[in-house]
Amino acid sequence: MSFAPATETFQLFLNKVQVRSPLSAEEQEAVLRLPARPRQIAAHGEIVRLGEQVSHSCLVASGLVSRFSQMEDGRRQHISFHIAGDMVDLYSLMLPAAPSALVALTATTIFEIPHAALSELAFRFPALAAAFWRECVIDGNIVAQWLVSAGRRDARGRLAHLLCEMAVRSAQIGKYVDGSFPFPITQEQISDALGLTSVHVNRSIKALREEGLIQTSRGMVTILDWEALSFAGEFDPAYLHLPPLPRTEVRAVTV
Amino acid sequence: MSFAPATETFQLFLNKVQVRSPLSAEEQEAVLRLPARPRQIAAHGEIVRLGEQVSHSCLVASGLVSRFSQMEDGRRQHISFHIAGDMVDLYSLMLPAAPSALVALTATTIFEIPHAALSELAFRFPALAAAFWRECVIDGNIVAQWLVSAGRRDARGRLAHLLCEMAVRSAQIGKYVDGSFPFPITQEQISDALGLTSVHVNRSIKALREEGLIQTSRGMVTILDWEALSFAGEFDPAYLHLPPLPRTEVRAVTV
DNA sequence: CGGGCGATTGAAAAAGATCAAGAACGGTGG
DNA sequence: CCACCGTTCTTGATCTTTTTCAATCGCCCG
């Protein structure tokens, strides 16, 4: 098996960062030249253990990564999901003792970027320091929205909101096509993200499906009615600081 | 009415920051000299409206401030609580369009610190930039813990966890004495923080009281059994990055 | 003293959890 | 290509937690 070249992944990361923090050509260059060690993790494999002292941040090349907390009885709460181009634990630069664990939800490839290299960049280019800091703040915003979901939305609303979020983020890396995006995740994992049980998630998915809002098959989610779905989740994409979802004007021109 | 001098409040902020990020004498000095405009807000008064473009961060001098989100039907979800010495929206330095609103839960005094001054400090002293960035990350950690509560703890556990958190944070500013700390908040506001209804919060408080874990009166909470309370909330203070709670060895030496 | 907000309590309803079983799916080895 | 295995999905029935609705109480403040 071959690895996607790190450059492609860095470019995804850079694209996203630049939506929020414009960078000079030199700064972009510097990011692209960051050292990166590839690593593959099987589905359900732990990437970082709770409390572990890390000396690198993880950039997702492919797959799906989650940051999570675990209760004493083993129940989990996922705190955020990360797709290709996401620097999962950029915050670890400021807090090397992992405050939460990282797990691969599906088979995943990441690049490990040494903290030393990131710090050096942040020191050399104040604009990069600000950009990284800003990324951390936005990641925090996303967690805050998950809190709003868990605290104040019912099961259907939580699910709708999550799907909208992942759709917009997938779109940003070009993975949202004709209303469909990859979301290869078990219902059990979704339940641990939404603070529900897998049974109830199953029923909520069924509800959205029967209402004609979404469709699912083999790790792909298709949003059939964006208006209705974002309404159901009271989804306002502003907190993501990303470009809006491309309109899927015409579905299926080819018969 | 007179304002507490800003210096005292800055000192509280500095104390907390330095637990996590050691600063040189010069850096400390620079923080203490930051410009600060006092402002008083009545209970329930809005400090920052959603989406408002802000050009300063808010340092709490006294009272209780919350960051929150609001649903379309008016229901609220508090995202974090802030006490004296907390820079509530330090993140706004990186994201000036407020992603969530700020409200005073009780009568509150804050100091407004211009972003320009904060940025200038961050630029002049890389250690301060790192310290501020780290504060943002830790604030994010606290939100993540609230998410864990909302997602995976029952009402009693959520309440216990919140009280433990506020106790440790109060202790850090010297407001936790003999197991008691100020927490002048309505049950309605607590319910909006925990993702519950005020009725259910009332019943959960009653439960903790009847179990002999806590005691409440006139805006003060007394923790009668720290062991049991932190067990009930599965509270692990590590995420706060603060000194541990001082042991209240002897209660009531004076009869 | 009166008013209003916040606390408290009871009863009934709803959302979600739990328990249990069977079906579908995806990959593996023969 | 097929049979098999473990995982994930799906569904029903029942139980628990939390919400909702409504009424009363108490207390602080003007």
Side-chain angles (χ1 to χ4, degrees), chain B residues 95-236:
Chain B
L95 233 49
S100 33
L102 260 37
V103 64
L105 299 182
T106 71
T108 290
T109 305
I110 63 170
F111 289 106
E112 297 182 346
I113 323 292
H115 281 171
L118 287 165
S119 299
E120 201 263 333
L121 274 204
F123 186 81
R124 193 142 52 91
F125 300 104
L128 277 180
F132 292 166
W133 179 354
R134 183 169 293 118
E135 290 303 304
C136 286
V137 168
I138 291 177
D139 283 349
N141 270 224
I142 297 179
V143 176
Q145 275 304 315
W146 282 34
L147 170 59
V148 173
S149 269
R152 286 293 176 232
R153 284 191 251 266
D154 65 11
R156 178 171 163 276
R158 289 182 213 186
L159 182 59
H161 195 276
L162 176 64
L163 293 177
C164 288
E165 175 187 319
M166 296 314 293
V168 171
R169 291 170 59 192
S170 297
Q172 206 276 320
I173 57 167
K175 288 292 183 67
Y176 182 81
V177 181
D178 288 339
S180 295
F181 65 99
F183 197 36
I185 188 176
T186 68
Q187 297 180 356
E188 170 87 35
Q189 290 164 337
I190 294 178
S191 76
D192 286 339
L194 302 182
L196 300 166
T197 57
S198 62
V199 170
H200 205 57
V201 165
N202 182 285
R203 290 178 172 135
S204 303
I205 293 174
K206 186 182 175 190
L208 290 183
R209 227 182 352 229
E210 287 177 353
E211 293 172 59
L213 303 199
I214 65 167
Q215 194 175 294
T216 60
S217 95
R218 272 181 283 119
M220 297 288 292
V221 174
T222 305
I223 297 179
L224 300 173
D225 188 338
W226 175 261
E227 283 301 320
L229 191 68
S230 53
F231 179 79
E234 283 197 31
F235 178 76
D236 173 354

Side-chain angles (χ1 to χ4, degrees), chain A residues 75-76 94 134 152 192, chain B residues 75-76 94 134 152:
Chain A
R75 277 150 61 234
R76 286 183 176 187
M94 287 297 125
R134 184 168 293 117
R152 286 291 176 235
D192 285 339
Chain B
R75 278 149 60 235
R76 285 183 177 187
M94 288 297 125
R134 183 169 293 118
R152 286 293 176 232

Side-chain angles (χ1 to χ4, degrees), chain A residues 122-123 125-127 129-130 133, chain B residues 23-35 93-94 114-132:
Chain A
F123 186 81
F125 300 104
W133 180 354
Chain B
L23 300 175
S24 73
E26 194 188 1
E27 287 151 357
Q28 295 176 43
E29 270 299 303
V31 169
L32 290 172
R33 284 198 218 293
L34 240 13
L93 245 194
M94 288 297 125
H115 281 171
L118 287 165
S119 299
E120 201 263 333
L121 274 204
F123 186 81
R124 193 142 52 91
F125 300 104
L128 277 180
F132 292 166

Side-chain angles (χ1 to χ4, degrees), chain A residues 35-101:
Chain A
R37 185 151 47 102
R39 182 174 157 205
Q40 303 214 251
I41 304 100
H44 302 108
E46 289 229 340
I47 299 174
V48 173
R49 239 179 300 280
L50 181 64
E52 184 179 330
Q53 201 73 20
V54 298
S55 57
H56 56 258
S57 289
C58 301
L59 175 62
V60 181
S62 69
L64 198 51
V65 173
S66 161
R67 185 151 87 85
F68 71 98
S69 261
Q70 195 149 20
M71 308 281 95
E72 269 152 37
D73 63 4
R75 277 150 61 234
R76 286 183 176 187
Q77 175 66 48
H78 293 300
I79 290 164
S80 56
F81 288 158
H82 297 275
I83 61 180
D86 287 347
M87 190 78 81
V88 179
D89 55 349
L90 187 51
Y91 61 82
S92 66
L93 203 48
M94 287 297 125
L95 233 48
S100 34

